[in-house]
Structures are given as C-alpha cells and as structure tokens.
Amino acid sequence: MNKPLNLPHSPGVYQFSKDGKVLYVGKAKNLASRVGSYFGQDAPEKARRLVQEAERLETTLTHSETEALLLEQALIQQHLPEYNVMLKDGVRYAYLLMQKKPFRFKTIRRQAGQAVPKGKLYGPFAKGSHRWELIRLLRSLFFEKTGKPFGSTENEDAYQLIESVLDGKSDIRTELQTRMVLASKSQDYEKALRYKKRLAALDAMDEHQAIEQKTSAHQDIIGFAHDGDHLAAQVFHVRWGVLREQEKYTYETLSEDTETEFITCYYATHEPPKDIILRMERGTKNANNEEPEIIAAKRLEKNENTPAPKEKNRTDKNDFETALKTLFPQAVIKSPKSGTAAELLDLAEKNAQRLLSSGIPDDVIALQKALGLRKLPRRIEGFDISTLQGNQTVGAMVSFHDGKPDKDNYRYFNINTPAALNASGSKTGPKPDDFAAMEEIVYRRYDRLTQEKQKMPDLVLIDGGKGQLTAALNAFERAGIRIHILALAKEYEEIYLPERSQPIRLQKNHAGLKMLQRVRDEVHRFVIGFHRRKRDKMPE
C-alpha cells in the first residue's frame, strides 16, 4: 500500500488490514509520525513486509497515549493479529508435582491460565536428566524407609522424609557425598557416579529455589536485549519471594516501541503480579557522572572493549503504570537500583542478551562490543578497488553473514565515472582516482538496494584509510542512507570511523579485528582475481 497522507499529529491507535482481516495493531503518541515511519527506507524488514501485504489502514484517535495503550490491548485481544507479538513460543521449563493422596510424582509444564493440580510444586528444571535423577533418588529413599516400591503404600514418615529432601531441610546432601566418597575408595565407580548425578540433581533444584528475597514478593522481572531487527525478553516469575518460573521470547521488531509492545501483549494473556520489575533508563552514568558516549570514547582510546551507545528510553514508566493500574489495580512498575530484585533484573538482561546472541559467532559479538555498535554486525559488506599498471580500474564487494562468506551476494563493478578512469588508457596518461572509484561503487550498490527496497547490511567495511572512508560517506549522502561504516588500513591495522578524528587500534589477537581482517582480505582477493581475468582477456 502507498504511504497515507494527512494523518493527524495526535495520539491514537492504527490497524493495518487485508481482506477484512486485521494484520497489525499499534498505538502512537503521534499517528502521522509513527505510521509514516513504516514507509521510510530505514523501516525494519518486518515493517516493510507488513506495508507490502496490507491493503487498508484504519486509525482511531484517543485523548492520550495511555488511552491508546488500553485500546491497543483490547484490539489485540479481540483480533489476535498475526504481526503482533502473540508470544506463542515462550520456553517454559518443567516442574515436579508431588501429591500425597495418592502418593506420587508428576511432571507438569505450567501454561498461562492453566489450573495447577493439588500438591506441591518443585523446580523448574531446565534439564530433564536432573528431574529424573531426583526422582530416582526419592524412590530409593522411599524403598529404604518402607522396604516397598515407591507409591505402593501410604506412609506418612516416608512422605515427610521426601518432603524434607525437596524442601532442603534434610541432611541428605552430606549423606550422598559420604556414600560417593566411600564408593570411590572401594573402586565402585559406577555407584559413585550415580551418587554424583543425584547431587547434581539436588544442586539444579536448589539453584532455582534458593533465590529468595527478604519479603514474600510477587514479582515479574523482565529483562530485554536488542540487536536492531530483533528483541529478546527474559521473564522471571517470583512468587512468595521465590523464583518459580522463567520464560524466554525472541521476535522481529516492527516499531520503535518494542518493549511497550511486548508488555502490552504479554499482559493481555497473563495476570500481572503486584510488582513488575524492568529497566526504565537504558543508559547509565559512571562514578564521574559521565554519559555512556563519553565513557565509550575514553575506553576506545585505551583499546578497551566498548559498550553499545545509550539507547533511547522506549518504556514510559508513567504511561505504563497508569495503564496497568487501570487494567489491574494491583500492578506497580518498579526499576530498583540495588537489592535482590536489581540483581535478578541484571540476570534477566544477561539471559536475554545470551538468547539474542545464541548461535552467533563470538567474533561478531566481540566486534559489536569493540565498536560500540547497538546492532550486531551479522551482515558485513566489504569494498575494494584495484588499479593495475596505472589503468583498468575495477571494484568489488564481498558479503559476510555471521562471520562466513556469503558468495551468492559477491559483486563486481566496472568503473564508469570519468574522474575515476585513465581516459587515455596509457601509462603516461592521467592517474586514476581511487577515491572517485570507491564513491562510485558504494553509491551504485546502495542506490540499487534502496530502489529495490532490499535490506541493508549491518556494517560496511572499506579497504583503505580516511580518504576512502570519506569517499564512501559521500556515496551514502548521495544515496540518502545511514549505515555503520569503517575503513581498515592495512599497514598498522587501523580502524577509521566517521565520528572520530583519530583511528582505533585493537589488539592483534582481538576477535573483532580478525573478523574485519577476513572481510578485508577476502574482498582484496576477489577484486584482484577479477582484475587479472579482465586484463588477460585484453588484446596485447
């Protein structure tokens, strides 16, 4: 569909639809600005797919952004749009349910809105092997206590023994450690290994259940991580002061307000607890009260890894608190600076980042940290120019995805710009302009991607120094695009960035530098090979 005109600069809700079916529901503080962003060249890939598929846009004005948030949630619950975050693939871990009458254990996976059977829950268990090893231990203890198979008799003493083990109130750990040592000394290594596995199962259970707070808190702790195109969320559920469950989600981002969208959709299908813990300020200052950008610049001077630059605060605390209080009066949003809840929030964010980075090579992650990139440089495109014997200038581009060559996206360039060519074709003629040649090939590449509405790379690498970088930036300006870009000069392996007057030098064994070197060396090999083949075809 075409970009809509004359939208109001007012808060409200918008709906993209096709054939009468709602595809996406969103809210906006400024409808004209928000909806217009879906049609810009910097729009996320998912947003581009949405506007290509949608046939109709409908807007509803509201008095405030809070009112828009409430209406958005109601419409999401009503229509269940496929482009909204419906959170169907969250990871839920298994629990062990102990029931007294009849005396048995049962494995369950908790689902939103699902009633929990009567009994006591233990867990969650991330690994099924830990859960089953624990059950074997409990069955063994039952047999030792009663002389009968597990569950074959109602024995209150046996029940209390097992309950004390699960509640961490018995000395079974010491007993298992003693048995393991004795078995090892008698060279019964199979039995020693069995005791070791059972100790590991107890440790796994304690790891989840021992995170207790000083109060009997009911909290959801939500940590986020972004890489530009995707958002990951880790949710910890704390009930009665104990971390009882965790859920993980990843999805493509569609709008700037990804965190807002997550919380809106999440609590459309989950009952909120008394407290919701999440990060309000994305950037933090250091002990000298310096902003993150200043800290990053100083660390780069010292060749240290640099954190990603401060992100825009996407979660409006007042709006969320007002909206959630309207829907669920008991809900309060908090952003603690210290204490157990703050520690769990840090842990949730680390888990979200790990989830987001799952399967991505370490050198790609290291490069992001070293350059302070907000987005992981999963797709890198590298450019180089070759001019042999003073004439026949050519260019080339290579593409890397997740640290590996993507040869289907390699490109050759014959130079067409007069300023970049040796017009006479002789060794004594005017010298070709490598800078003009670099500007030409970079412009041609990204002007074409823009015209075809193709996805841009996360990072562009230019083989050369400050002059080549300036030429590429001129091409960016002509094409009307903004992409992270750098130049890598081979003599001292210096990294030139647009915003810095002096180059950066990373340590020789830095994984991020090695990643850049692979891209630079590959594009150099590629352009030289093209140049030689072209030269060999020329008549002597």
Side-chain angles (χ1 to χ4, degrees):
M1 63 180 295
N2 295 324
K3 181 178 179 179
L5 302 175
N6 302 319
L7 288 174
H9 295 272
S10 306
V13 172
Y14 53 96
Q15 302 175 60
F16 287 99
S17 60
K18 180 181 181 180
D19 297 331
K21 180 182 178 181
V22 177
L23 301 176
Y24 180 75
V25 177
K27 71 166 181 63
K29 187 175 183 179
N30 184 319
L31 282 168
S33 176
R34 173 58 61 82
V35 174
S37 69
Y38 286 75
F39 297 85
Q41 63 179 20
D42 295 331
E45 182 67 22
K46 188 177 179 182
R48 295 180 185 180
R49 293 201 306 267
L50 172 61
V51 297
Q52 288 176 355
E53 183 177 354
E55 296 175 345
R56 186 168 182 265
L57 174 72
E58 180 181 347
T59 60
T60 303
L61 297 181
T62 60
H63 292 103
S64 66
E65 191 176 9
T66 298
E67 188 177 307
L69 177 65
L70 299 176
L71 178 58
E72 177 196 38
Q73 185 182 55
L75 290 171
I76 288 172
Q77 289 177 295
Q78 177 184 350
H79 297 291
L80 302 179
E82 64 178 275
Y83 275 82
N84 281 91
V85 183
M86 296 318 300
L87 311 179
K88 295 180 180 178
D89 54 338
V91 178
R92 290 180 173 86
Y93 296 129
Y95 287 77
L96 193 62
L97 175 69
M98 185 175 74
Q99 296 178 316
K100 188 174 181 180
K101 293 182 180 180
F103 190 18
R104 63 178 181 177
F105 288 109
K106 189 177 182 180
T107 298
I108 67 169
R109 293 182 183 273
R110 298 184 63 186
Q111 302 292 332
Q114 181 186 44
V116 178
K118 291 183 179 181
K120 295 189 69 172
L121 279 179
Y122 296 93
F125 295 89
K127 292 184 177 181
S129 59
H130 288 155
R131 186 174 69 255
W132 287 112
E133 201 60 53
L134 182 62
I135 290 175
R136 292 187 187 99
L137 168 63
L138 299 176
R139 285 174 173 169
S140 174
L141 292 174
F142 186 92
F143 184 80
E144 290 178 10
K145 185 72 175 180
T146 66
K148 297 181 179 181
F150 180 82
S152 62
T153 180
E154 300 293 335
N155 187 301
E156 186 66 26
D157 290 341
Y159 179 87
Q160 291 179 357
L161 170 63
I162 288 175
E163 188 176 35
S164 68
V165 171
L166 292 172
D167 290 339
K169 297 178 181 179
S170 76
D171 57 357
I172 186 63
R173 188 183 301 278
T174 302
E175 185 177 342
L176 286 173
Q177 288 173 339
T178 301
R179 292 184 183 184
M180 182 177 67
V181 171
L182 291 174
S184 180
K185 287 183 177 180
S186 63
Q187 297 186 349
D188 191 346
Y189 299 118
E190 185 177 347
K191 184 179 290 186
L193 179 60
R194 183 162 66 246
Y195 292 135
K196 183 178 180 180
K197 288 181 178 179
R198 291 176 180 178
L199 281 167
L202 287 172
D203 289 340
M205 184 181 67
D206 291 344
E207 181 181 342
H208 292 286
Q209 290 194 299
I211 305 178
E212 298 191 7
Q213 301 187 16
K214 295 179 181 178
T215 60
S216 298
H218 281 52
Q219 300 172 328
D220 281 353
I221 298 170
I222 307 175
F224 294 106
H226 305 261
D227 74 352
D229 289 335
H230 297 82
L231 178 138
Q234 170 84 46
V235 184
F236 288 144
H237 299 285
V238 175
R239 300 297 181 262
W240 300 108
V242 179
L243 179 60
R244 288 296 186 187
E245 186 177 9
Q246 59 175 320
E247 298 173 281
K248 299 177 181 181
Y249 302 95
T250 57
Y251 55 90
E252 288 182 275
T253 58
L254 182 57
S255 66
E256 291 183 355
D257 230 355
T258 52
E259 295 176 10
T260 302
E261 184 178 333
F262 175 87
I263 294 174
T264 301
C265 294
Y266 186 81
Y267 288 111
T269 56
H270 294 72
E271 183 77 15
K274 181 179 179 181
D275 298 330
I276 298 173
I277 310 297
L278 49 79
R279 188 82 61 195
M280 291 300 165
E281 298 87 16
R282 307 308 302 172
T284 56
K285 298 180 180 181
N286 65 3
N288 297 323
N289 202 38
E290 294 173 323
E291 296 290 345
E293 290 86 348
I294 303 299
I295 302 169
K298 287 187 175 181
R299 297 187 72 187
L300 279 172
E301 296 287 355
K302 298 177 181 179
N303 293 335
E304 297 178 1
N305 284 350
T306 309
K310 182 172 69 174
E311 298 179 69
K312 179 183 176 183
N313 178 7
R314 301 181 178 186
T315 307
D316 189 312
K317 179 179 179 179
N318 293 329
D319 279 349
F320 265 119
E321 196 161 5
T322 301
L324 289 176
K325 274 185 173 295
T326 303
L327 290 171
F328 309 103
Q330 79 276 20
V332 178
I333 293 182
K334 297 181 178 179
S335 186
K337 304 297 183 184
S338 60
T340 307
E343 292 174 1
L344 282 174
L345 180 56
D346 288 340
L347 181 62
E349 290 176 337
K350 288 179 181 177
N351 276 274
Q353 183 61 54
R354 185 176 181 182
L355 179 64
L356 195 65
S357 304
S358 177
I360 298 175
D362 291 341
D363 48 7
V364 175
I365 298 172
L367 182 59
Q368 179 195 28
K369 292 179 179 179
L371 300 180
L373 303 176
R374 179 176 173 271
K375 185 178 181 181
L376 279 164
R378 301 187 65 178
R379 181 167 292 283
I380 302 175
E381 292 186 350
F383 291 82
D384 194 11
I385 295 294
S386 176
T387 304
L388 295 179
Q389 298 179 348
N391 55 24
Q392 294 301 321
T393 301
V394 296
M397 184 211 81
V398 299
S399 177
F400 275 58
H401 184 257
D402 283 348
K404 297 180 179 179
D406 178 15
K407 296 190 176 183
D408 288 342
N409 281 304
Y410 283 22
R411 296 291 184 271
Y412 297 124
F413 298 91
N414 289 305
I415 303 303
N416 301 322
T417 304
L421 295 171
N422 180 343
S424 69
S426 68
K427 298 181 180 180
T428 59
K431 185 178 180 181
D433 187 342
D434 285 352
F435 297 158
M438 181 63 74
E439 180 177 342
E440 177 187 330
I441 65 172
V442 172
Y443 172 76
R444 285 166 56 186
R445 169 63 174 171
Y446 297 118
D447 180 62
R448 180 166 184 171
L449 291 189
T450 300
Q451 296 299 325
E452 296 177 354
K453 296 183 178 180
Q454 298 295 315
K455 188 174 182 180
M456 298 290 177
D458 304 315
L459 178 66
V460 172
L461 179 148
I462 304 298
D463 185 5
K466 195 169 185 178
Q468 284 82 1
L469 177 62
T470 300
L473 289 171
N474 291 339
F476 278 13
E477 185 175 358
R478 288 171 56 197
I481 62 168
R482 295 180 62 186
I483 309 174
H484 287 298
I485 185 172
L486 61 84
L488 182 62
K490 189 167 186 178
E491 185 176 1
Y492 299 108
E493 302 295 11
E494 294 177 325
I495 300 171
Y496 289 85
L497 297 170
E499 65 274 14
R500 293 180 59 84
S501 59
Q502 297 298 319
I504 301 167
R505 288 190 188 181
L506 298 177
Q507 295 180 357
K508 291 183 178 180
N509 61 350
H510 192 285
L513 176 60
K514 291 184 178 296
M515 172 80 255
L516 294 177
Q517 289 171 331
R518 288 201 301 275
V519 177
R520 189 265 317 279
D521 294 346
E522 174 67 0
V523 71
H524 185 71
R525 178 199 66 78
F526 190 57
V527 74
I528 291 297
F530 173 52
H531 203 164
R532 286 174 176 165
R533 289 193 299 274
K534 186 174 182 179
R535 185 188 59 189
D536 291 344
K537 292 180 181 179
M538 294 181 62
E540 297 183 2

